[in-house]
Amino acid sequence: MAGAFDIVEHYNSLIKEDASISAPVAAVGSLVKLIEKQNATTMLEFMMIARQACDRLKKATDNSISLSAGCDVFLKQMSRLAHAQSVEECRKALIKAGTDFVQGAGRCRDIVAEFGSPFVRDEQTILIHSYSRVIMGLLGRAVTQNKRFRVYITESRPDQSGLRAAAELQRLGVPCEVILDAAVGYIMEKVDMVLVGAEGVVESGGLINKIGTYQLAIIAKAAKKPLYALAESFKFVRLYPLSQYDLPTHRSDLLSFKEKRADETDWQAELSRSNPMLDYTPPGFITLMFTDLGVMTPSGVSDELIKFYLD
Amino acid sequence: MESPTSPSSQFSREAAIYVDGFITRLRRGQVVEAKRLAMETVNLVEHVISISRWNDVETLSELIRAVGRKLLIAQPRELLIANVICRLLRMVAEESESVKFVEDGWPAREPVREPPSVSSAKSCETPGMGLGQSGALLTRTFAEQVASQLEVESMTLQGFKNNIRNEIEEYIEELENVEANIAKSALEYIHSNEIILTCGRSRTVEQFLRTAAEKRKFHVIVTETAPTYEGHEQARALADVPNIEVVVIPDSAAFAIMSRVNKVILGTRAVMANGGLVAVSGTHMIAAAARHHSTQVVVCAGPYKYSPWFPSSDDCFNTLESPDAVLPYREGDLVAAVDVVSPRYDYVPPELVDIFVDSTGGHLPSYLYRLLRESCDEARDLSWGIHE
C-alpha cells in the first residue's frame, strides 16, 4: 500500500481544516493526494490501489453516501483515462482533473445560488430544514440582492443543526424562527415554499437528506406547497433505493425492538443511539431541483447520471 | 443587473433600424399571435445576419444573441422570442461543428479559425471531472480523435453562410407547417361522436380539429373565454366544418359541462420546461375541472413554444390586459372605486396536463425537459433578461 500515507487521516484533516468543504470534494482531494504519493508501475496495480482506497474511505466514515459520490466520480474518471498510453500519463491527467474538480467545487454553490435566485422573491416565507451550506449560499445571495423574506427553520434533532442555520441567517439580517420538528404541519399553512439540501441525490431523482426531510416533503405536498431541493452535481450518487431501509447507512439495529431491561433503560440515551440520521425522499415529493447543471425536474437527474456513467 | 456584454454597437445602422422597428411593433401589440411572432423573429434575425458583417462563428452567435437581448429587454415576458433565439443559436452551433473555414481560393492548408466546438474541447488530454462534463471526447482513443479531426470539413465562409441561410429557410418552413404536422396525429386522439372541449383562439387546435373532422363526426364545446371572447372567434372558425357541431358556453359553465366531455384539447402560448403551460386565462380552471372529472387533457403545441425556463412563480410570465373589456371606462364612477385586474395568461401546472402533442407525436409533461435539451442550450446566456 501507500506506506506512510493514510487516506482516512488525510480525509479527516481536510474536513477539519475547512468547514465549508463537502464530503465528496474532500474524498476526491484525498484520492488525488494518494495517487500523487504512490508509485504503481502497471495500470492494473494503479487502479487497484485507488479502488482499495475508496473502499477504505467508505468504511471509515459514518457519512458514506455523499462521500461515495466523490469516489464514484473519481473511479469513473480513472476508467475513462485507462486508455492512456502509460501509467504516468494517466496519473498526471487524473491529478490534473482531480485538482481542477476540487478547485471548481467551491464555485458550484454559487452557480446553484444563481440558478435558484429567481425563485426567492420578496415577501416570501420560506421553510428550510436542518443546516445546508448550499441553502445558505442561495439565501445569502438573495440577501445581497436586497430581497426581503422570512425563514422558518426546523430545529432538526438530534444534532439541532437548525440552530446553527438560524444563527447564521440572523447574522445576515434575515428574520427567522426556529420551529420544533413536530411543528412542521402546524406551520406549513404560513409557508410559501420549502427548501431542502441533500446529502445525496439518487438515480430515481429522489434525495437522501437529514432525517425529517421525508415527513416535511409529505406535509408540503399535502399542503400543495412547492419543495425545491438544492444539490451540487457531485452529490449525485448511483443508488436506487426503493424504501427507507435500502440506504447504505441502514443498520439492522436501528429502532428494532431490542430486548431491554426496564430498570436499565435510559430512553433519552437510547433515542440518538437507535435512530437513523438520514431518510430518503422519493422524487414525487420534489417540485424542482436546483443544481449547478441548471434547474431540473427529478427525472432530469437520472438522465444526467446515466449520461455520465454510461457514455 | 449585469450589463449586457456587448451593446448593440456591433449592429450596423441599418440592422439597428430593423430591430428597433420590430420592437416598436412588439410594444404596440401589433405582433401578438404566437406563430407570427416566431416567424417574424426568425425573419428579423435572418435579415440582420444578411446585412451585417461577420467572418466567424463567434461573431455570428454574438450577433444573434445581441438581437435576442434587445428583444428581451423590450419584451421581457415574451417567452417565444427567447425560444426562437435559442433554437437559432443551436442551429449555428450544430452547423459550425466539424467545419473549418478556408479562405476563398486558398488550398485547405491554414484554417482561418478553429470552430468553437473544437476549441472548446480544450480538455482532450486532461478532461474535466464531474457530472455534466462531456465524456464523449475522453472515451475515444487518441487515434479516433485524430481521425475525427481529419473528418473536419473544410469550407469557405461563403459556403457556411449559404448553409446557415438554408437552415434558417428550413426552420421557417417548419414553422409554416407546424399546425399541419401536429394535426397529422389528430385521428389518434379524436374518435367518432366524442365531445371535445376547448377554449380560447388557437389555430393549432383549429387545424387539429379540422383534420380529425375529415374522417369523423364529433361535437366541440368552446368556452367563450371572456373578456377577449376569443372563444367566439374559435367557434366561428369551426362552424363551417360539416362534421363538427359547435356549442359555445360561458366560461362559468365549464365545470358543469365537464362531466359530459370526453376530452379537453387546449392550445397554449408557451410551455415551460417543467411541462407547465402559459395559456390564455381561463385555461387553469378548465384543466382543474378536467382533473376533477378525470377527463384527459391534450395540449397541442409546436416545438417553438417549448421554453427553456422553469416557472419561478405563477405570475412571472403573465401580463395584464386593458380592464376596459371587464369594466368599460364609460362606467367612470365605478372605475374609480374598484380595482379591475384582467390577466392575459394562466399558469397551468404540469400535473393537470396529460399529454402534449407536437409535430413528432405525443409526449408526457415529464419528458419535456428532454425535448428542450435538443433545441436549447443557451438558456443561461439569455436568462438575465427575463428575471428581474
Side-chain angles (χ1 to χ4, degrees):
Chain A
M1 261 301 284
F5 181 72
D6 182 16
I7 186 153
V8 178
E9 211 170 277
H10 186 76
Y11 171 82
N12 286 335
S13 74
L14 276 183
I15 296 274
K16 207 184 270 173
E17 264 169 41
D18 181 1
S20 73
I21 200 168
S22 303
V25 180
V28 171
S30 322
L31 284 164
V32 167
K33 203 83 194 158
L34 171 87
I35 58 165
E36 268 175 10
K37 297 240 158 132
Q38 55 91 339
N39 40 9
T41 45
T42 65
M43 198 62 101
L44 206 64
E45 188 190 357
F46 181 70
M47 294 175 91
M48 215 167 69
I49 290 174
R51 286 221 178 85
Q52 278 168 352
C54 285
D55 290 340
R56 246 172 70 66
L57 260 184
K58 284 184 205 173
K59 278 208 194 83
T61 50
D62 49 350
N63 151 5
S64 74
I65 289 178
S66 69
L67 185 149
S68 73
C71 291
D72 283 351
V73 166
F74 189 85
L75 291 177
K76 174 70 190 173
Q77 189 76 3
M78 192 168 67
S79 67
R80 275 173 171 177
L81 288 166
H83 307 287
Q85 252 64 10
S86 68
V87 178
E88 205 41 50
E89 198 175 302
C90 177
R91 189 208 312 269
K92 269 195 196 127
L94 205 49
I95 289 172
K96 168 93 168 49
T99 319
D100 287 352
F101 176 85
V102 173
Q103 280 163 359
R107 265 201 37 78
C108 280
R109 255 172 241 149
D110 299 337
I111 300 173
V112 174
E114 195 181 320
F115 279 119
S117 68
F119 288 80
V120 181
R121 297 189 311 279
D122 269 336
E123 301 302 326
Q124 257 183 337
T125 307
I126 302 170
L127 173 62
I128 69 174
H129 179 58
S130 181
Y131 180 85
S132 151
R133 283 170 290 225
V134 36
I135 291 183
M136 289 302 145
L138 173 62
L139 296 182
R141 190 187 168 92
V143 169
T144 57
Q145 291 172 329
N146 296 323
K147 289 177 180 166
R148 289 160 289 124
F149 51 93
R150 296 169 297 272
V151 183
Y152 288 115
I153 306 143
T154 57
E155 179 198 9
S156 186
R157 295 264 273 160
D159 62 0
Q160 299 187 306
S161 51
L163 303 183
R164 189 175 150 208
E168 205 163 296
L169 284 175
Q170 200 173 30
R171 237 173 290 135
L172 290 173
V174 178
C176 45
E177 287 292 346
V178 178
I179 63 165
L180 290 173
D181 292 324
V184 169
Y186 171 88
I187 210 72
M188 194 54 84
E189 252 180 77
K190 292 194 170 186
V191 168
D192 295 310
M193 72 165 170
V194 183
L195 295 179
V196 296
E199 191 70 27
V201 179
V202 298
E203 275 180 283
S204 60
L207 57 92
I208 296 169
N209 196 26
K210 178 73 186 292
I211 188 87
T213 307
Y214 181 37
Q215 59 186 30
L216 182 73
I218 292 176
I219 294 172
K221 173 108 180 168
K224 297 207 164 65
K225 307 287 182 181
L227 178 131
Y228 302 118
L230 289 81
E232 303 98 317
S233 61
F234 52 72
K235 285 187 174 161
F236 292 10
V237 281
R238 302 189 72 190
L239 286 173
Y240 203 115
L242 297 172
S243 77
Q244 297 297 332
Y245 317 111
D246 293 340
L247 304 187
T249 48
H250 180 70
R251 306 192 314 264
S252 55
D253 62 329
L254 290 178
L255 303 175
S256 58
F257 298 105
K258 288 180 288 282
E259 282 288 329
K260 293 181 263 278
R261 294 255 307 279
D263 50 333
E264 283 178 7
T265 312
D266 175 5
W267 286 108
Q268 191 61 43
E270 200 66 21
L271 204 58
S272 51
R273 197 183 313 139
S274 66
N275 267 282
M277 280 297 287
L278 298 172
D279 62 13
Y280 164 62
T281 307
F285 295 97
I286 301 161
T287 315
L288 286 176
M289 252 178 217
F290 307 156
T291 74
D292 51 304
L293 307 178
V295 181
M296 295 182 176
T297 53
S299 45
V301 170
S302 29
D303 250 28
E304 284 302 327
L305 275 164
I306 291 169
K307 228 169 51 189
F308 180 71
Y309 285 106
L310 291 183
D311 71 357
Chain B
M1 171 182 276
E2 309 97 295
S3 63
T5 44
S6 60
S8 54
S9 58
Q10 55 179 301
F11 290 146
S12 61
R13 257 192 51 216
E14 209 186 348
I17 291 170
Y18 275 104
V19 176
D20 289 338
F22 183 62
I23 287 175
T24 314
R25 295 206 299 131
L26 267 182
R27 286 208 173 121
R28 286 185 189 150
Q30 287 169 328
V31 195
V32 175
E33 199 225 319
K35 194 169 103 175
R36 236 187 90 206
L37 176 61
M39 301 245 305
E40 293 214 13
T41 310
V42 182
N43 282 330
L44 175 80
V45 172
E46 190 188 20
H47 196 80
V48 170
I49 289 175
S50 67
I51 61 174
S52 301
R53 182 181 284 274
W54 54 272
N55 293 321
D56 55 60
V57 179
E58 269 310 303
T59 323
L60 173 61
S61 310
E62 192 43 52
L63 198 63
I64 299 177
R65 257 181 236 133
V67 177
R69 278 195 208 104
K70 255 191 111 134
L71 295 183
L72 278 182
I73 291 171
Q75 217 57 333
R77 287 164 182 237
E78 200 49 87
L79 291 159
L80 290 174
I81 295 176
N83 301 351
V84 169
I85 298 288
C86 284
R87 170 73 196 262
L88 290 171
L89 284 171
R90 191 48 173 289
M91 209 180 269
V92 170
E94 269 170 16
E95 200 54 38
S96 63
E97 234 168 55
S98 69
V99 162
K100 257 181 199 167
F101 293 151
V102 290
E103 280 180 56
D104 291 343
W106 280 75
R109 199 160 45 92
E110 276 179 311
V112 174
R113 189 190 168 80
E114 289 265 290
S117 55
V118 175
S119 57
S120 71
K122 59 194 183 308
S123 45
C124 284
E125 60 291 332
T126 47
M129 177 147 75
L131 272 76
Q133 300 276 2
S134 154
L137 272 167
L138 328 173
T139 43
R140 289 196 236 153
T141 63
F142 185 66
E144 278 170 352
Q145 277 183 27
V146 172
S148 77
Q149 293 273 344
L150 290 177
E151 278 167 29
V152 168
E153 206 181 323
S154 299
M155 173 179 277
T156 60
L157 188 60
Q158 197 50 47
F160 181 71
K161 284 188 174 180
N162 284 341
N163 274 6
I164 292 286
R165 195 168 311 133
N166 290 343
E167 283 284 323
I168 293 179
E169 287 304 326
E170 235 169 75
Y171 184 43
I172 291 176
E173 209 169 294
E174 182 193 320
L175 280 177
E176 264 165 9
N177 298 326
V178 71
E179 282 121 0
N181 284 332
I182 294 173
K184 268 185 206 153
S185 51
L187 288 175
E188 292 170 34
Y189 297 94
I190 299 175
H191 308 291
S192 284
N193 296 320
E194 274 193 331
I195 300 175
I196 311 284
L197 185 127
T198 184
C199 75
R201 173 83 179 111
S202 160
R203 282 163 188 82
T204 317
V205 172
E206 181 196 333
Q207 185 68 37
F208 198 75
L209 296 172
R210 274 177 184 277
T211 309
E214 284 166 14
K215 292 261 170 67
R216 289 172 189 157
K217 258 173 112 90
F218 51 89
H219 296 259
V220 174
I221 299 170
V222 187
T223 62
E224 61 178 6
T225 324
T228 55
Y229 300 105
E230 286 176 356
H232 291 177
E233 256 177 76
Q234 181 84 339
R236 192 179 307 128
L238 290 168
D240 64 336
V241 185
N243 279 341
I244 298 180
E245 226 165 286
V246 187
V247 181
V248 178
I249 58 164
D251 298 321
S252 46
F255 187 89
I257 210 141
M258 194 59 80
S259 57
R260 304 185 186 195
V261 172
N262 298 105
K263 212 161 277 164
V264 175
I265 298 184
L266 299 172
T268 180
R269 177 69 177 185
V271 182
M272 309 297 295
N274 62 345
L277 307 179
V278 176
V280 65
S281 78
T283 309
H284 193 160
M285 180 186 72
I286 289 171
R291 170 50 42 99
H292 182 87
H293 287 97
S294 298
T295 310
Q296 213 191 17
V297 176
V298 179
V299 173
C300 300
Y304 69 99
K305 289 184 175 170
Y306 297 160
S307 151
W309 285 288
F310 287 88
S312 50
S313 79
D314 283 5
D315 290 324
C316 57
F317 295 108
N318 216 335
T319 47
L320 295 178
E321 296 225 305
S322 151
D324 178 54
V326 183
L327 185 68
Y329 288 127
R330 59 174 179 275
E331 315 268 358
D333 304 343
L334 253 182
V335 171
V338 294
D339 275 338
V340 181
V341 179
S342 170
R344 186 187 296 169
Y345 300 120
D346 261 353
Y347 170 69
V348 184
E351 300 90 73
L352 298 182
V353 178
D354 289 292
I355 197 165
F356 285 97
V357 181
D358 71 7
S359 7
T360 54
H363 307 288
L364 286 177
S366 59
Y367 188 69
L368 272 188
Y369 76 94
R370 193 78 194 273
L371 293 174
L372 269 167
R373 203 164 287 168
E374 281 160 26
S375 63
C376 306
D377 56 355
E378 298 283 340
R380 278 199 62 202
D381 275 318
L382 286 164
S383 64
W384 61 268
I386 283 260
H387 306 300
E388 69 265 56

